[in-house]
Structures are given as C-alpha cells and as structure tokens.
Amino acid sequence: MGRARRETMTLLKDGRHDEAAGVLRAVAPGGVPLDVADPDAVKLRMFCASVLADNSDIRAAGEFLRLGDDLAAPFGVEDERVVQCRVGEADC
C-alpha cells in the first residue's frame, strides 16, 4: 500500500489522475474492497475516491458510497469516516 501511495503521488504531480486512480484501484485485486478493519486500507480507499473526485471522475461518487457503506456496517453511521464519505459523495 505504501508503494501504491508513493507511485500515486508521483503520477498526481505529473497531472496523470486517471493513472493514479488506477494504481490505487489495483491494490484491491479483482475489485474486492480492502478490509475496513485495516486503517491503512481505509485511508487508501478514501485517497482513491479523493483522487477520482479531484479529477471530476464520476466514479468518485460510487467509491465514496461503497466505502461509506462498508464503514457504516461495523462502525455506525455517525462514524467520522462515514460522514466524510457521505460529504464526498454529495460533493460529487
């Protein structure tokens, strides 16, 4: 995950948002969401959604929605990260 984050930052600096999002999404093989019990996985998923949103990519709303739903199940709808996801989704 650390390598993916570093590679993503390099791509973002070069303005290559689509490729950066692709690197982040590739961390979860087969499109299976990373486990929300792992704080690093949650940060990576949030970062991926944010990268998509910063590039005005319509997929960002879905990423925020899925992460918010995945977090709400074990942590509740009032969890700060769930709220951040809902705000991100609404901003999209």
Side-chain angles (χ1 to χ4, degrees):
M1 281 191 251
R3 183 179 52 79
R5 190 174 292 135
R6 287 188 299 277
E7 186 176 345
T8 298
M9 294 306 295
T10 300
L11 290 167
L12 289 173
K13 287 177 186 174
D14 292 339
R16 298 163 58 189
H17 294 266
D18 287 340
E19 291 175 61
V23 168
L24 292 172
R25 297 183 94 172
V27 173
V32 175
L34 297 171
D35 187 3
V36 294
D38 179 352
D40 288 333
V42 173
K43 287 178 189 173
L44 195 63
R45 288 181 66 187
M46 185 72 80
F47 188 51
C48 181
S50 297
V51 166
L52 290 170
D54 289 346
N55 197 37
S56 300
D57 190 315
I58 195 161
R59 295 174 294 178
E63 294 291 332
F64 281 122
L65 173 66
R66 279 186 292 284
L67 179 55
D69 289 348
D70 290 348
L71 287 165
F75 301 108
V77 296
E78 293 182 6
D79 184 272
E80 179 181 334
R81 299 164 301 172
V82 175
V83 173
Q84 288 174 338
C85 287
R86 299 305 183 226
V87 169
E89 179 189 1
D91 284 345
C92 289

